[in-house]
């Protein structure tokens, strides 16, 4: 530790900052909840220690000397930074930071709109959410907890550091479109004349997944129809935006489009009985010494939010 830091007169500098802002010993004493005599003593002590006058006495009032004017803004910045650092450390001590990762579609469509409720219930926990175009990785991304999109038939592939896994929900998937396209979709065969919107990203499904059009065209009995128009988009958010604008028909992930369905901005052209559940959202977490209670709180909240929708 340098001599300058070791002998830093923090109490006197805090007093100097208050007097410099108010240009008044009286108002500084009120702000600091001390006597005016104590303020005067701190300033005299600081001036003696620095061998320089910081204030000049006027009649009435006081003013900063040239040295005081140079010192004042630097002290203000330093105290603000120190205060912010102490506040952050206190906040971490009471609750702390929870590092959460999620794929982009789940994060934007399901998690982010609900995070305010977790913050209200756990103001002591600071959530740092990392959103990725791929499934997050606990170890590689240095996360405490992650939500992954997974094929139901897919092995969990747990790493050695993984402490647990829980299914958040199985995704209900089915074709959706803007109401403006309904007149053009009287039967599944009409899909041959409609643009199909494909989701293609790093967390993207296999060709036989419920998020791929191939099994749906077979299920609807139109797999042998002439080749239809297609638009391929790199993210479900883009697919959703295109569907809302009437660009084409998308494979909707119900838990991520609930608001659009409830408001009638999206509809199911082939009825409510047609859906697949070959995918799920899975919570994973690992050992994080000192963070177990925060992980448990967030995991319990996620499961409660999911259960409330059933």
């Amino acid at each position: 530790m340098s001599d300058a830091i070791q002998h830093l007169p923090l109490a006197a500098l805090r007093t100097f900052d208050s007097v410099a802002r108010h240009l008044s010993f009286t108002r500084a004493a009120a702000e600091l909840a001390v006597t005016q005599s104590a303020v005067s003593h701190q300033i005299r002590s600081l001036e003696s220690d620095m061998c320089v006058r910081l204030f000049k006495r006027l009649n009435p009032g006081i003013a900063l000397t040239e040295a005081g004017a140079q010192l004042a803004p630097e002290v203000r910045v330093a105290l603000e930074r120190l205060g912010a650092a102490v506040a952050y450390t206190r906040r971490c001590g009471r609750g702390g930071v929870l590092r959460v990762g999620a794929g982009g579609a789940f994060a934007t469509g399901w998690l982010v709109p609900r995070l305010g409720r977790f913050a209200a219930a756990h103001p002591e926990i600071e959530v740092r959410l990392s959103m990725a175009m791929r499934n997050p990785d606990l170890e590689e991304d240095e996360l405490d907890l992650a939500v992954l999109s997974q094929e139901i038939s897919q092995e969990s592939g747990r790493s050695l550091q993984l402490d647990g896994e829980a299914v958040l929900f199985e995704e209900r998937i089915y074709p959706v479109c803007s109401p403006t396209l309904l007149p053009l979709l009287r039967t599944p065969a009409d899909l041959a004349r409609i643009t199909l919107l494909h989701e293609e990203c790093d967390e993207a499904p296999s060709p036989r997944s419920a998020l791929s059009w191939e099994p749906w065209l077979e299920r609807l009995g139109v797999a042998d129809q002439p080749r239809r128009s297609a638009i391929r988009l790199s993210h479900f958010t883009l697919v959703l935006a295109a569907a809302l604008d009437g660009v084409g028909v998308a494979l909707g992930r119900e838990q991520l489009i609930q608001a659009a369905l409830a408001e009638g901005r999206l509809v199911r052209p082939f009825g409510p009985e047609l859906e697949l559940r070959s995918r799920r959202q899975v919570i994973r977490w690992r050992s994080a010494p000192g963070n177990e209670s925060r992980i448990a709180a967030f995991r319990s909240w996620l499961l409660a939010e999911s259960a409330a929708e059933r």
Side-chain angles (χ1 to χ4, degrees):
M1 183 185 299
S2 70
D3 268 358
I5 294 177
Q6 189 172 2
H7 298 100
L8 197 63
L10 283 176
L13 287 171
R14 183 167 173 252
T15 301
F16 166 73
D17 171 67
S18 183
V19 176
R21 284 185 286 105
H22 294 293
L23 289 179
S24 167
F25 282 45
T26 302
R27 288 196 291 272
E31 179 180 83
L32 299 171
V34 297
T35 65
Q36 184 173 337
S37 174
V39 169
S40 298
H41 175 75
Q42 288 278 19
I43 296 301
R44 286 197 303 270
S45 174
L46 185 63
E47 289 178 328
S48 175
D49 181 64
M50 300 180 71
C51 300
V52 66
R53 293 288 298 276
L54 299 173
F55 295 97
K56 51 188 174 184
R57 279 64 177 174
L58 305 178
N59 191 13
I62 59 174
L64 287 162
T65 63
E66 182 177 349
Q70 290 178 345
L71 180 64
E74 301 297 333
V75 170
R76 174 95 298 253
V77 169
L79 289 175
E80 285 178 349
R81 288 179 178 172
L82 183 59
V86 170
Y88 176 81
T89 303
R90 284 175 176 163
R91 186 166 66 248
C92 289
R94 291 194 301 267
V97 173
L98 183 69
R99 299 163 299 175
V100 177
F106 172 80
T108 57
W110 195 91
L111 180 56
V112 171
R114 293 167 170 78
L115 272 181
R117 290 199 282 269
F118 180 81
H122 299 277
E124 75 284 2
I125 299 177
E126 178 183 321
V127 175
R128 293 185 181 176
L129 174 62
S130 299
M131 187 181 78
M133 295 293 287
R134 57 170 175 79
N135 268 330
D137 182 275
L138 288 170
E139 185 172 358
E140 181 181 336
D141 298 327
E142 299 182 345
L143 302 171
D144 299 310
L145 179 146
V147 182
L148 298 82
S149 185
Q150 185 183 85
E151 299 290 325
I152 289 178
S153 60
Q154 183 179 328
E155 293 296 327
S156 67
R158 295 186 180 186
S159 67
L160 293 177
Q161 295 189 26
L162 182 64
D163 272 7
E165 178 176 293
V167 175
L168 184 59
F169 57 73
E170 292 184 1
E171 291 193 35
R172 295 189 291 274
I173 302 166
Y174 41 74
V176 293
C177 66
S178 165
T180 60
L181 295 185
L182 277 181
L184 304 177
L185 290 168
R186 300 195 180 279
T187 69
D190 294 327
L191 286 171
R193 299 187 295 274
I194 294 290
T195 298
L196 300 182
L197 304 172
H198 296 255
E199 178 184 356
E200 294 192 345
C201 60
D202 289 341
E203 68 167 287
S206 68
R208 304 304 304 170
S209 161
L211 283 181
S212 294
W213 270 107
E214 286 81 356
W216 280 100
L217 298 177
E218 292 176 5
R219 185 182 177 94
L220 293 166
V222 294
D224 297 328
Q225 293 284 337
R227 185 167 182 169
R228 55 200 52 79
S229 171
I231 295 178
R232 301 183 182 276
L233 301 157
S234 65
H235 197 281
F236 180 73
T237 303
L238 301 176
V239 172
L240 177 58
L244 289 167
D245 285 341
V247 174
V249 182
L251 292 173
R253 302 161 72 171
E254 183 175 88
Q255 289 86 346
L256 311 186
I257 59 173
Q258 289 177 335
L261 288 169
E263 296 163 5
R265 294 183 293 135
L266 285 179
V267 294
R268 303 177 64 169
F270 305 119
E273 69 285 350
L274 187 67
E275 68 177 41
L276 288 177
R277 298 193 185 198
S278 69
R279 292 179 67 78
R280 61 190 173 194
Q281 295 293 330
V282 176
I283 309 169
R284 286 185 182 178
W285 61 94
R286 63 172 178 169
S287 176
N291 230 10
E292 291 89 348
S293 62
R294 294 184 278 278
I295 293 171
F298 197 78
R299 182 176 67 244
S300 297
W301 172 78
L302 283 173
L303 293 170
E305 286 285 320
S306 177
E309 295 177 353
R310 296 172 191 159

